[in-house]
Amino acid sequence: MVIILRPDATPEQRRAVESRLRELGFQIVLAPDPPPVVMAAVGEGSMPPLEQMRAMPGVAEARRIPEPFKLASRTFREADSIVRVGNVEIGGPTVVLMAGPCTIESEEQMVRTAAAVRSAGATVMRGGAFKPRTSPYSFQGLGEEGLKLIRRVADSQGLLVISEIMDKSQITLMDRYVDIFQVGARNMQNYPLLRELGSVERPVLIKRGLAATVDEWLMSAEYVISGGNDRVIVCERGVRAYETYTRNTLDLNAVAVAKAISHLPVIVDPSHAVGVRDKVAPLARAAIAAGADGLLVEVHYAPEQAICDGQQSLYPEQFRVLAGQIRLIAEAVGRRL
Ligand code: PEP
Ligand code: MN
């Protein structure tokens, strides 16, 4: 249930509403928005008749939240939520470009790639230090050495850092180096990890699982938000289908649906969605046209030498051309880059 107080509600009236909700067995979560006060009553409480709540002094409106993801829903927060990190706003009018290699490999790779993505218009650098590889024999990432490298290189270019976390035991270490925690598709339902990320300060980007429904994806966001961290971004990265020409299938339906039913920023990763370099740009353009708030794209200064996902990594020049096209598309849909 969401309760909106009247702008002139007194502190006593507010306390009375809150104690009534607690009596009924609910926890109260306040929307982090300017007044009027909007509060969600979540948990296993017993639902009172709405008229009863509406009749309380100081209450302007009371409604049920029909969605299972209460705090991630637009019923709770009507306006788009904007995640601010450094100078970057994710979910606002400006479309955000996050780009970089699949995995952090070397100083030369990071320096050359960072310069390229930065000059094209990216504001966040990606790169994995802990890699969830299908084979245990594949390169697993440079770990802390990689995190140090991406932090140093990103700082020298004025870029923010996003990197994947695979386990809650990595939080303390990664917190020292990254600006945004990325939860990978394979970990979308790693509930102990999501719970722990509810108590970090930094934003969390949650990729959609390989076969997750939109409800399941947003419920993963709900874990983090209900833990106390409302700086959550969701990312569509393609779902598994029957097609064999491409790695996965980009589900733009999910982007339009998530934007409609949730206030959270939605990012699209066209690289893992399609898995083929020359198909990344068309999907990236379509994603922005469909209303995505930004892109997470794999770019490598020399993709043919990449340790991981070279086949889907853009050359710097391709990324530069794409960014120019994104600028035009963003303007066409009332945004900017
Ligand atoms: C990645 O971003 O490199 C990655 C492993 O992505 P996903 O979790 O979407 O497979
Ligand atoms: Mn990758």
Side-chain angles (χ1 to χ4, degrees):
M1 176 173 40
V2 58
I3 291 175
I4 303 164
L5 297 187
R6 293 166 50 102
D8 60 357
T10 65
E12 294 73 42
Q13 291 172 337
R14 175 173 166 176
R15 273 197 292 278
V17 171
E18 291 178 347
S19 34
R20 176 73 187 126
L21 292 173
R22 288 203 184 94
E23 240 168 63
L24 290 163
F26 291 108
Q27 289 126 252
I28 297 163
V29 180
L30 297 176
D33 297 317
V37 173
V38 175
M39 56 177 87
V42 295
E44 300 277 271
S46 53
M47 190 64 86
L50 289 176
E51 302 74 62
Q52 211 181 80
M53 293 312 299
R54 290 189 188 122
M56 288 192 76
V59 172
E61 173 60 349
R63 2 186 168 92
R64 271 177 224 295
I65 304 178
E67 297 83 8
F69 43 90
K70 308 290 173 194
L71 304 175
S73 73
R74 276 215 195 262
T75 314
F76 174 48
R77 289 181 72 187
E78 219 175 296
D80 291 341
S81 59
I82 299 179
V83 174
R84 294 184 176 81
V85 44
N87 298 327
V88 177
E89 287 191 348
I90 305 166
T94 301
V95 158
V96 175
L97 297 184
M98 309 183 185
C102 180
T103 185
I104 304 161
E105 299 166 9
S106 69
E107 171 107 25
E108 182 187 17
Q109 172 228 26
M110 293 304 281
V111 170
R112 294 179 68 169
T113 307
V117 300
R118 162 75 219 263
S119 68
T123 49
V124 183
M125 183 166 202
R126 64 150 289 148
F130 299 104
K131 296 302 301 176
R133 302 303 299 276
T134 302
S135 164
Y137 307 118
S138 301
F139 178 66
Q140 305 285 311
L142 289 181
E144 184 169 11
E145 192 196 329
L147 293 170
K148 284 186 177 153
L149 191 51
I150 193 172
R151 182 75 266 167
R152 184 153 43 78
V153 171
D155 281 346
S156 74
Q157 292 287 338
L159 293 164
L160 298 173
V161 169
I162 182 168
S163 196
E164 179 166 352
I165 182 156
M166 287 172 55
D167 187 84
K168 64 180 181 162
S169 63
Q170 295 161 345
I171 291 180
T172 316
L173 172 71
M174 290 193 67
D175 194 59
R176 295 208 286 271
Y177 301 104
V178 309
D179 297 298
I180 305 172
F181 287 104
Q182 173 179 326
V183 174
R186 292 159 191 80
N187 271 307
M188 188 204 84
Q189 289 177 314
N190 179 342
Y191 297 119
L193 172 62
L194 297 173
R195 271 203 192 288
E196 282 297 308
L197 289 171
S199 47
V200 304
E201 289 287 323
R202 302 188 186 285
V204 179
L205 176 142
I206 304 177
K207 293 234 194 159
R208 183 177 177 200
L210 275 69
T213 64
V214 172
D215 274 355
E216 287 164 343
W217 183 30
L218 293 173
M219 287 308 277
S220 293
E222 190 77 7
Y223 262 89
V224 178
I225 305 172
S226 65
N229 182 359
D230 59 15
R231 299 167 81 204
V232 176
I233 303 152
V234 293
C235 176
E236 158 61 26
R237 47 77 74 204
V239 289
R240 185 158 283 184
Y242 46 78
E243 186 49 70
T244 54
Y245 279 97
T246 55
R247 183 171 176 180
N248 291 293
T249 294
L250 177 62
D251 182 7
L252 286 181
N253 299 14
V255 174
V257 170
K259 287 299 297 179
I261 62 182
S262 171
H263 55 82
L264 298 176
V266 180
I267 298 291
V268 166
D269 171 350
S271 308
H272 293 87
V274 71
V276 185
R277 184 179 308 121
D278 63 350
K279 310 295 183 301
V280 169
L283 294 183
R285 295 191 297 256
I288 297 303
D293 296 299
L295 298 168
L296 179 65
V297 185
E298 286 186 340
V299 180
H300 193 293
Y301 83 99
E304 65 289 347
Q305 291 165 27
I307 292 181
C308 180
D309 284 351
Q311 82 293 341
Q312 67 193 29
S313 299
L314 297 184
Y315 285 92
E317 176 59 15
Q318 291 178 307
F319 184 67
R320 196 186 60 74
V321 171
L322 172 62
Q325 295 167 337
I326 295 300
R327 187 164 286 120
L328 296 173
I329 295 167
E331 276 167 26
V333 294
R335 315 286 291 267
R336 56 176 182 259
L337 178 63

